[in-house]
């Protein structure tokens, strides 16, 4: 077993934290199964077997709402207005129908119990609470940090990060928009820096992280950007960026993976197709919703709509409108801007989410989830993306680039030494854990349940 495997086995992933006070996994598993049974029994007790007939009505309402959303996004003019109305009227009509026949309260209670069941199941299967990062023996002698004063609406100034970093012994470099971040980081290494850090967005984090990985240096993430997806999955406190500086004196070290799209590194994801094209519009930064609504119809149904082909290891898919390749799989993925969370950052696998919705019928089938044919999720060590063009627009950690086609995405397992505070508030979470009911049942019965990553491997 290589360095990555040994590290993952001994520490259990970057989501580990100090011991907390959450209920025991077995108790949570029992609660999940009880809530699951109750969500079925409540409508049966309230309405008998005829309650089963109301399930298709609810599914039909969701399907019509999905059609409405598709029309609103993929078309303009009257059809867009009709779609927006349908997306609201269809579920409202179902609720009114349920209320008229006395099924609304059983349905609402059943949905609430289902939410309790899923939440309890995910918490039961969440990684343990024992700190599993390797303890840091000594503080760095010459830490270097680059800060972007414009990131996150001015978080650097608002949280006094410059002063706090200097007080912690860091050499601070402020970006003014014209510097080459990679060159600055390499110069810092040449001058003796033994730790690199970034206070800025995920795009800047990725650039400096690659330099740290190339030189085997520890890297510290200071969440001073707008979204800070990477910091979120590391369990860092995004509301208090200065807390990340505790990693210098009371930290643990994790080995995490890095993703690559061609020669561009990403810490979160690389998006292709619809979203990647939308972010190229200069108006996107100032008006995201309006720009998206204006450009989506042409991208989804127009002659210039992107059609991607991809190969994820041995699986081939084509006719895709959007593709998201992530550094480790997301637990749930809704879109490129809010793709959910990753349970682990050290599985050595890319997450792949493929979207293929070309008409109304396919939009309606999306309510079936991954089994609909319009949404495909895979894990792979390598993903090759291409289209009928010589180049492909790609959104890499939210930054737009254009790369030669085909684009080969790969992952470098355990490439980055991340230093994080010993105590992190975001580590006791279940954002990337799915409700695996057979595992929940085994756990409730007191049987051993081995820990697994998102790829399903022990």
């Amino acid at each position: 077993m290589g360095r990555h495997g040994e590290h993952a086995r001994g520490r259990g992933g970057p989501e580990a934290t100090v011991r907390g006070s959450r209920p025991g996994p077995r108790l949570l598993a029992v609660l999940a199964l009880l809530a699951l049974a109750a969500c079925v029994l409540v409508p049966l007790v309230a309405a008998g077997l005829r309650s089963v007939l109301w399930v298709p009505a609810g599914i039909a309402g969701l399907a019509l709402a999905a059609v409405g959303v598709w029309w609103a996004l993929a078309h303009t003019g009257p059809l867009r207005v009709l779609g927006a109305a349908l997306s609201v009227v269809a579920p409202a009509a179902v609720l009114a129908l349920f209320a008229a026949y006395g099924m609304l309260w059983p349905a609402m209670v059943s949905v609430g119990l289902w939410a309790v069941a899923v939440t309890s199941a995910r918490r039961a299967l969440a990684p343990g609470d024992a700190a599993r990062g390797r303890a840091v023996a000594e503080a760095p002698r010459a830490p270097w940090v680059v800060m972007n004063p414009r990131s996150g609406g001015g978080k650097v100034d608002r949280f006094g990060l410059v002063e706090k970093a200097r007080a912690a012994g860091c050499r601070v470099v402020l970006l003014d928009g014209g510097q080459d971040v990679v060159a600055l980081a390499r110069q810092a290494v040449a001058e003796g820096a033994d730790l690199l850090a970034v206070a800025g967005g995920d795009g800047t984090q990725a650039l400096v992280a690659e330099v740290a990985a190339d030189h085997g240096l520890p890297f510290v993430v200071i969440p001073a950007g707008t979204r800070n997806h990477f910091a979120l999955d590391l369990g860092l406190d995004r509301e208090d960026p200065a807390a990340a500086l505790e990693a210098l004196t009371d930290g643990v070290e994790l080995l995490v993976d890095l993703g690559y799209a061609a020669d561009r590194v990403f810490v979160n994801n690389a998006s292709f197709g619809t979203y990647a094209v939308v972010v190229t519009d200069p108006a996107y930064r100032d008006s995201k919703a309006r720009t998206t609504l204006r450009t989506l119809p042409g991208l989804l149904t127009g002659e210039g709509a992107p059609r991607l082909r991809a190969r994820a290891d041995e699986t081939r898919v084509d006719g895709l409108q959007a593709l998201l390749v992530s550094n480790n799989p997301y637990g749930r993925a809704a879109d490129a801007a809010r793709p959910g969370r990753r349970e682990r950052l050290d599985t050595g696998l890319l997450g792949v989410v493929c979207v293929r919705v070309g008409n109304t019928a396919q939009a309606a089938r999306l309510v079936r989830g991954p089994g609909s044919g319009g949404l495909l999720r895979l894990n792979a060590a390598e993903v090759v993306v291409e289209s009928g063009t010589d180049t492909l627009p790609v959104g890499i950690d939210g930054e737009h680039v254009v790369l030669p086609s085909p684009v080969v995405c790969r992952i470098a397992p355990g490439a980055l030494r991340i230093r994080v505070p010993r105590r992190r508030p975001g580590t006791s979470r279940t954002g990337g854990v799915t409700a695996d009911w057979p595992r929940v049942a085994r756990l409730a019965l007191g049987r051993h349940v081995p820990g697994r990553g998102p790829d399903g491997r022990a």
Side-chain angles (χ1 to χ4, degrees):
M1 183 178 293
R3 180 185 65 166
H4 165 68
E6 293 175 355
H7 187 86
R9 179 181 63 185
R11 296 190 329 209
E15 71 288 336
T17 183
V18 295
R19 185 169 300 280
S21 58
R22 72 185 180 99
R26 186 178 181 184
L27 178 60
L28 288 167
V30 171
L31 176 61
L33 293 179
L34 290 175
L36 180 64
C39 83
V40 176
L41 290 175
V42 165
L44 286 175
V45 171
L49 291 176
R50 68 184 179 89
S51 63
V52 177
L53 301 177
W54 290 95
V55 175
I59 295 175
L62 290 175
L64 288 173
V67 169
V69 172
W70 167 254
W71 285 350
L73 294 178
H75 300 278
T76 58
L79 199 55
R80 169 170 281 183
V81 175
L82 177 62
L86 183 61
S87 65
V88 175
V89 170
V94 171
L95 291 176
L97 188 64
F98 274 49
Y101 286 87
M103 284 298 298
L104 182 58
W105 76 263
M108 298 299 289
V109 171
S110 183
V111 170
L113 288 168
W114 169 253
V116 171
V118 172
T119 300
S120 299
R122 291 170 62 199
R123 292 191 66 195
L125 298 176
D129 288 334
R132 288 167 288 192
R134 182 170 64 85
V136 176
E138 59 183 20
R141 297 183 304 276
W144 177 90
V145 56
V146 61
M147 298 187 177
N148 186 347
R150 297 177 302 281
S151 288
K155 284 185 177 179
V156 169
D157 290 334
R158 191 159 67 250
F159 289 92
L161 295 180
V162 174
E163 295 78 10
K164 293 176 180 178
R166 287 174 176 163
C170 296
R171 176 189 169 197
V172 178
V173 174
L174 293 175
L175 296 177
D176 61 13
Q179 301 107 312
D180 184 332
V181 177
V182 173
L184 288 173
R186 288 175 177 164
Q187 181 181 350
V189 174
E191 294 174 352
D194 59 352
L195 179 144
L196 303 181
V198 173
D202 287 330
T204 308
Q205 298 280 1
L207 294 174
V208 179
E210 184 178 22
V211 177
D214 288 344
H215 292 85
L217 296 178
F219 179 70
V220 169
V221 174
I222 303 173
T226 302
R227 297 188 180 92
N228 298 297
H229 288 159
F230 193 42
L232 176 69
D233 291 333
L234 288 169
L236 300 177
D237 187 350
R238 298 187 298 173
E239 302 304 317
D240 183 12
L245 292 170
E246 294 177 10
L248 300 178
T249 55
D250 184 25
V252 293
E253 193 169 287
L254 315 168
L255 285 182
V256 304
D257 308 334
L258 285 178
Y260 286 84
D263 61 345
R264 291 293 300 264
V265 70
F266 58 90
V267 294
N268 294 322
N269 56 64
S271 58
F272 300 82
T274 304
Y275 176 75
V277 176
V278 169
V279 298
T280 64
D281 194 310
Y284 178 77
R285 294 295 179 186
D286 297 325
S287 182
K288 292 180 173 60
R290 180 178 299 178
T291 304
T292 300
L293 288 174
R294 174 173 54 81
T295 56
L296 269 183
L299 296 175
L300 293 175
T301 57
E303 293 182 359
R307 289 294 182 267
L308 303 171
R309 300 185 300 274
R311 176 177 59 79
D313 287 345
E314 302 305 318
T315 302
R316 298 179 183 273
V317 287
D318 57 17
L320 302 175
Q321 290 152 305
L323 177 71
L324 185 76
V325 180
S326 59
N327 173 20
N328 284 263
Y330 285 103
R332 294 168 294 170
D335 56 56
R338 295 179 178 84
R341 297 184 66 172
R342 292 163 288 184
E343 178 186 356
R344 294 174 61 165
L345 293 168
D346 63 350
T347 67
L349 290 171
L350 297 167
V352 187
V353 181
C354 308
V355 179
R356 179 170 49 198
V357 182
N359 54 52
T360 301
Q362 290 177 347
R365 288 199 295 269
L366 279 179
V367 298
R368 293 165 49 194
S372 66
L375 181 65
L376 178 65
R377 301 189 61 182
L378 302 164
N379 300 331
E382 181 182 90
V383 180
V384 181
V385 186
E386 58 184 327
S387 67
T389 58
D390 295 332
T391 60
L392 279 174
V394 188
I396 296 183
D397 287 336
E399 302 295 330
H400 169 253
V401 300
V402 177
L403 299 175
S405 178
V407 177
V408 178
C409 299
R410 59 183 177 85
I411 194 162
L416 182 63
R417 296 169 55 193
I418 288 278
R419 190 169 292 188
V420 294
R422 188 179 302 275
R423 296 181 180 272
R424 288 164 286 145
T427 48
S428 297
R429 65 0 177 207
T430 60
V433 184
T434 56
D436 186 333
W437 293 109
R439 291 183 70 204
V440 173
R442 292 196 298 272
L443 185 58
L445 293 173
R447 298 176 183 174
H448 174 65
V449 179
R452 296 192 300 181
D455 60 325
R457 301 186 305 187

